[in-house]
């Protein structure tokens, strides 16, 4: 390919829209152009990279016995209503683009394909004799991300490889999951990426075991916690650890166990309270007031107790709340701090000023949730939201008792300080029994965020270390969640019908391309790993006015092509310096410079990764390249 025919437009200036190096470099190097927020054109150079990645993905998946297929991107709402995901994916913060066709039927643009594939599997897979099956596709996905950013990292339209496996039993699912794990490691390694596998939260996709593959990079959106011995690695969303020991409360338990009142005027934050009285944050129980919103209109107030020095893990909380209530109330639409603003949006009649915010104790009475007279218009003004068909009642209605949840760091405290449920007052030396609270086993759940520096559960002498990662792949053991919901069954060896066992496996192909740049670049530009570079070699004619240079370059260009290497010829009438800069920017692994030396048949070979140069005779060039790229 000749650079003059490539429509190559490189940018000298750093584009204002790009915040991270890989995004800047892909824009500057003429790989992508932004069409709209989170929507990019993949220009010819990038398309070659994407195809190389796809080829590696195909080779490794085919090797496991997976079959390539292609499923529709337009998906009927009905399928998503049957799985119970339509509302969660379309209402509130849902990320599915959805539309109505000319007959008024609702459709969604596929953000993922569990519904479609499970329905197909239910139709096609009738007997255990047909199992296992693993189907994959490489295709554009659509997600109306709340914050599309960083170019291809979080797009609203992006390329994904997704695979779905079906099994007669859980053991078989585990074997395929392990094969996919191996395939993924090979894929990332072949793409030249340093990736680590971490325990992951299963999120809205659902299911049990799941693992993410993270490309480690400063710009990564995910926080990974790992143990120095390499035995533990998890996404912070999911990570567990041992909390630091709490500092015992001097004086311990007061007689009644209900604690003694302490005047704490204006001390509504843990820092203020500790500063004023010399407390340690680990001696406090903090109480968070939140609201969970469900598809059927239920608005469940939550009271979460955590030790004062701990942070809430919102992902863990959402999982617990959803597991508890989604069965009866449809999808969990969100969990947010209960604020006046939220109540207004939801048109709920609760007067927050009656709640002693900043002074809440775990024993806050349900009675406070009763209406205090401020009645907002509670008429449903939001009817007609897509998906209303699934569950009858959608009007927000406030549950009048708290769902109380306790992190073990809080319940493990024998004596503690907490709010007195009265403005400007705390209690010192309270105990759970003294407050009249005996949290049930199902109310005590791990809700705390593990932090770097925490001791590891598997070995307390190890401390968690933090790294940032870009999630490029995710594999799940889904179990039977979708096959049950969509009634995808097969007949087992005993002749009995049962739901299929399922796994699903994603790779963000376009995100991976950018992650490779994030991991492999320098001040001058991209340094593509050889296996996914758009071209392997670029022949630069230093001066196209020199017939000798042109002739030799053309000859070498042909020879390199015939030797089977993908080669670019920079034949543009630009200054040599401009062309060298562009070659560095677009990151082709090998640069051949045909300049003054052409007169004596000498050329220069430069390695992009470290700038190492070697001068050699033109006739030795192909052999030298063959040695580098066997
Ligand atoms: P994230 O946590 O980053 O939002 P996810 O958990 O929603 O991702 P999956 O549903 O597991 O993602 O999708 C499979 C893969 O697709 C991810 O591992 C990621 O590499 C890629 N991916 C997901 N969302 C996007 C996006 N908006 N833009 C580009 N790639 C994406
Ligand atoms: Mg994921």
């Amino acid at each position: 390919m000749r650079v003059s025919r490539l429509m190559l437009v490189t940018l000298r200036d750093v584009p204002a829209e790009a915040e991270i190096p890989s995004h800047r470099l892909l824009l500057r190097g003429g790989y992508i152009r932004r069409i709209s927020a989170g929507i990019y054109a993949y220009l010819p150079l990038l398309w070659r990279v994407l195809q190389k990645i796809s080829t590696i993905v195909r080779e490794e998946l085919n090797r496991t016995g997976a079959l390539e297929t292609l499923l529709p991107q337009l998906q009927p709402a009905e399928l998503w209503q049957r799985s119970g995901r339509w509302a969660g994916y379309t209402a509130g913060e849902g990320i599915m683009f959805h539309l109505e066709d000319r007959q008024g039927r609702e459709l969604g643009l596929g953000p993922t394909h569990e519904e479609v594939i499970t329905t197909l599997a239910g139709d096609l897979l009738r007997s255990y004799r047909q199992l296992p099956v693993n189907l994959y596709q490489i295709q554009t996905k659509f997600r109306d991300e709340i914050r599309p950013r960083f170019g291809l990292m979080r797009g609203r339209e992006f390329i994904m490889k997704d695979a779905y496996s079906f099994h007669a039993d859980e053991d078989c699912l585990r074997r395929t999951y392990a094969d996919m794990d191996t395939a993924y490691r090979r894929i990332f390694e072949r793409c030249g990426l340093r990736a680590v596998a971490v325990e992951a939260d299963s999120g809205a996709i659902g299911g049990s075991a799941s693992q993410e593959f993270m490309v480690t990079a400063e710009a990564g959106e995910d926080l990974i916690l790992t143990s120095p011995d390499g035995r533990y690695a998890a996404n912070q969303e999911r990570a567990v650890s041992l909390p630091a020991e709490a500092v015992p409360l001097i004086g311990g338990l007061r007689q009644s166990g209900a604690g003694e009142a302490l005047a704490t005027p204006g001390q509504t934050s843990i820092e203020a309270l500790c500063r004023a009285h010399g407390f340690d944050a680990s001696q406090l129980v903090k109480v968070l007031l939140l609201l969970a919103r469900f598809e059927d209109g239920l608005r469940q107030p939550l009271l979460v107790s955590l030790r004062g020095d701990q942070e809430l893990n919102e992902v863990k909380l959402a999982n617990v709340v959803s597991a508890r209530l989604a069965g009866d109330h449809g999808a969990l639409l969100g969990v947010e701090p209960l604020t006046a603003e939220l109540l207004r949006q939801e048109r709920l009649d609760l007067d927050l000023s009656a709640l002693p915010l900043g002074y809440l104790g775990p024993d806050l009475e349900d009675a406070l949730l009763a209406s205090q007279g401020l009645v907002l218009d509670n008429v449903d003004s939001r009817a007609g939201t897509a998906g209303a068909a699934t569950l009858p009642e959608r009007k927000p209605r406030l549950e009048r008792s708290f769902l109380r949840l306790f992190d073990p760091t809080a319940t493990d405290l024998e004596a503690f300080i907490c709010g007195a449920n009265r403005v400007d007052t705390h209690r010192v030396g309270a105990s759970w029994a003294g407050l009249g609270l005996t949290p049930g086993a199902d109310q005590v759940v791990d809700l705390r965020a593990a932090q770097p520096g925490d001791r590891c559960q598997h070995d307390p002498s190890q401390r968690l270390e933090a790294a940032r990662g870009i999630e490029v792949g995710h594999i799940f053991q889904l179990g039977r969640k979708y096959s049950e919901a969509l009634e995808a069954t097969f007949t087992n060896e005993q002749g009995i019908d049962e739901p299929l066992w399922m796994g699903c496996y994603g790779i963000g192909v376009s995100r991976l391309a950018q992650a490779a740049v994030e991991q492999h670049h320098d001040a001058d530009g991209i340094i593509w790993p050889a296996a996914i570079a758009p071209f392997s070699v670029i022949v630069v004619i230093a001066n196209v006015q020199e017939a000798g240079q042109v002739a030799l370059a053309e000859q070498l260009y042909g020879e390199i092509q015939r030797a089977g290497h993908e080669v670019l010829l920079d034949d543009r009438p630009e200054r040599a310096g401009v062309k060298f800069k562009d070659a560095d920017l677009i990151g082709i692994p090998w640069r051949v410079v045909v300049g003054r030396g052409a007169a004596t048949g000498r050329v220069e070979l430069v390695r992009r990764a470290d700038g190492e140069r070697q001068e050699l005779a033109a006739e030795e060039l192909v052999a030298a390249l063959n040695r580098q790229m066997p």
Side-chain angles (χ1 to χ4, degrees), residues 143 145 152-155 158 160 205 471-474 476 506-508 510-511:
R143 293 187 181 180
E145 297 278 358
L152 307 182
M153 291 290 190
R154 188 166 296 285
F158 60 96
M160 194 201 288
I205 301 271
E471 179 196 325
V472 286
H474 198 166
F476 299 77
I507 290 182
S510 46
R511 182 186 283 183

Side-chain angles (χ1 to χ4, degrees), residues 38 89 95 111-112 114 141-143 145 148-149 151-162 184 201-203 205 212-213 221-222 235 237 470-476 504-512:
Y89 266 81
I95 46 115
T112 178
E114 283 79 11
K141 291 282 188 278
F142 300 89
R143 293 187 181 180
E145 297 278 358
R149 57 181 192 159
L152 307 182
M153 291 290 190
R154 188 166 296 285
R156 296 198 297 159
E157 183 182 320
F158 60 96
I159 300 176
M160 194 201 288
K161 183 287 298 173
D162 47 332
Y184 272 42
D201 176 63
S202 298
I205 301 271
E212 285 166 342
F213 293 83
E221 286 189 292
D222 287 276
N235 191 316
E237 290 178 351
I470 302 164
E471 179 196 325
V472 286
H474 198 166
I475 60 177
F476 299 77
C504 80
Y505 318 89
I507 290 182
V509 171
S510 46
R511 182 186 283 183
L512 189 159

